[in-house]
Every structure is written in C-alpha cells, then in structure tokens.
Amino acid sequence: MFKPDLSGEDREDTPAREAPARLSEILTYDCFTLVRIGLLTFLVMVPLITIPPAYMAMNALVRQVLQGKVVRCRDFWPAFKAGFLRSYGAFFVAVLLPVLALACAVFYAGRVEEQPLLFALCVFSILIFALSVLAAPHLYPLTTAGVPLAQAVRESVLLGCANPLRAFFATLIHNGLMLFGVAFLPLSVPYFLLGGLSVPCLIGQFLVRPVLLRYRPEGEDTGL
C-alpha cells in the first residue's frame, strides 16, 4: 500500500501530525484498510454472541492504523482471539452500561412523582451514565494495549474526568453512530459495510489519544 514519504519520521511520534491534518492523512491513505476492518467486524458480529470480541479486535486494529502500522486482513483473527475473554467485560462497560444506565434514569424519572424515593436511584443512574460515557473512549485503547480490564476501567474513568468534553464527543461519535446504525437495521447495512464501524472508531480513538499520551506517557511502551 502506498504511504506518504515522512522522511523517515514515525507518524505516531510527530506532534504536528496529531491534528486534523493527521486524521485526514489516515482517512486518505488507509481508507481501504478501514473499510476492510469494518467489513470483517460486521461479518463476524452476525452471530451476535461474537459482537464483543469482534468489536475489540476492530479497536485493536484501528489503534494500529492510528500508530501508522501496516494492517492486513489476516491480523484480525489474532486480535479476535487475543481479546476474546476480556472483550465481554469491556463491551459491557463501554457500550451496554451507558445505554442501561440512561434507560434506568429515564424509567426512574418518570415515576418520581409516584415514589419520591426513586429520585435517589434516578440520580445514581445518571451518575453511572455520565461516568461510563466519559470512560468509554479510553477503555479500548487501554485494554488493547494489554492493560488488565479492572485497571483499565479505573484509569478510563480518571482520564474521562480529566477531559470530559473530549471524552463526551469521542463517545458520541464512536458509540453513538454505531447505535444509530443498529437502530435502523437492515437499512443501515451498506453504512456498516462501507466503514460505518471502523471510521467512527478511528475518530473516537484519535480524539482521546492526546489525553492518553499526556496523562499516561508510560503507555507508549506498550504502543499507546
């Protein structure tokens, strides 16, 4: 695959490229790679029970693309197997927990007038929703870098609270677009096949990458 000449520089370690121009470069030169990653992820997700490991494998490969590494289709299966067990916990925290917490908050809010004690549960659900939304975009970069899940969850919450606006928009783009597409299945199948999973994943990871490099610089040893 053709790559632009960076005069021997590592694209990952060039600060000037951690900007919209860097994202545009990736989308231009790695667009077919992203489409292939998204296509593989979508096909592996079809049995439903394989959604979490497929989602983690996609995040792992997108992270490699963001690092400037060459990613091939055959790299998907080692990533799929490597994160198989941890993927279910990560998927619950990053994707399902925000949805469940929001649903609970709405449910309790609608019944506060009848049972005032439910107000406390409503507030608790909102808190869980907010923390899970802020943690979500950092969780997969950490887990795919080899950080244990429990530690990754703790660090994700702290990183999200350190830069809440960036974390919110990363989650909105990454998880929001995916859930929006799921809501309109099967009409949204072409969207998923053409990168509707991998491109939002890339943008989400790109947004939180400066936070990871700033607050967790030792993560660079593991590829962060």
Side-chain angles (χ1 to χ4, degrees), residues 2 11 38 99 107 130 145 151 212:
F2 174 75
R11 289 189 297 172
V99 176
F107 176 81
Q151 179 184 345
L212 289 165

Side-chain angles (χ1 to χ4, degrees), residues 1-4 6 11 22-38 61-72 194-195 198-199 202:
M1 182 184 299
F2 174 75
K3 298 284 184 180
L6 296 178
R11 289 189 297 172
R22 168 74 174 107
L23 181 60
S24 176
E25 177 185 287
I26 296 174
L27 293 174
T28 300
Y29 293 100
D30 295 299
C31 59
F32 291 112
T33 298
L34 292 171
V35 169
R36 289 196 294 268
I37 292 173
L61 296 190
V62 166
R63 176 171 162 269
Q64 293 179 26
V65 171
L66 186 57
Q67 292 173 327
K69 298 179 180 179
V70 176
V71 176
R72 300 178 178 84
L194 294 174
S198 55
V199 172
L202 172 72

Side-chain angles (χ1 to χ4, degrees), residues 22-224:
R22 168 74 174 107
L23 181 60
S24 176
E25 177 185 287
I26 296 174
L27 293 174
T28 300
Y29 293 100
D30 295 299
C31 59
F32 291 112
T33 298
L34 292 171
V35 169
R36 289 196 294 268
I37 292 173
L39 176 60
L40 272 172
T41 303
F42 180 76
L43 294 177
V44 175
M45 280 182 169
V46 171
L48 298 183
I49 195 173
T50 55
I51 288 178
Y55 197 70
M56 177 167 276
M58 176 188 69
N59 275 272
L61 296 190
V62 166
R63 176 171 162 269
Q64 293 179 26
V65 171
L66 186 57
Q67 292 173 327
K69 298 179 180 179
V70 176
V71 176
R72 300 178 178 84
C73 290
R74 64 172 178 266
D75 298 327
F76 184 88
W77 302 111
F80 179 86
K81 296 176 183 177
F84 193 89
L85 295 178
R86 290 183 300 139
S87 67
Y88 290 91
F91 189 81
F92 175 79
V93 174
V95 180
L96 297 183
L97 186 57
V99 176
L100 292 174
L102 181 60
C104 289
V106 173
F107 176 81
Y108 293 133
R111 288 160 177 77
V112 166
E113 292 185 1
E114 301 172 5
Q115 301 182 45
L117 291 178
L118 292 180
F119 178 76
L121 291 177
C122 180
V123 172
F124 178 74
S125 299
I126 293 173
L127 177 62
I128 295 299
F129 170 74
L131 291 177
S132 59
V133 165
L134 295 179
H138 308 90
L139 186 59
Y140 278 104
L142 290 174
T143 53
T144 55
V147 179
L149 181 58
Q151 179 184 345
V153 171
R154 291 194 301 269
E155 293 191 9
S156 296
V157 173
L158 295 175
L159 290 170
C161 292
N163 284 266
L165 191 61
R166 185 181 289 268
F168 171 76
F169 280 110
T171 300
L172 183 65
I173 293 171
H174 189 180
N175 293 355
L177 290 178
M178 180 186 68
L179 295 174
F180 182 81
V182 169
F184 286 92
L185 284 172
L187 296 177
S188 56
V189 168
Y191 164 75
F192 284 130
L193 294 179
L194 294 174
L197 286 170
S198 55
V199 172
C201 176
L202 172 72
I203 297 173
Q205 288 202 29
F206 182 84
L207 286 174
V208 299
R209 179 171 173 73
V211 180
L212 289 165
L213 291 176
R214 178 181 179 184
Y215 291 99
R216 204 178 190 279
E218 69 275 11
E220 290 184 289
D221 295 334
T222 55
L224 285 174

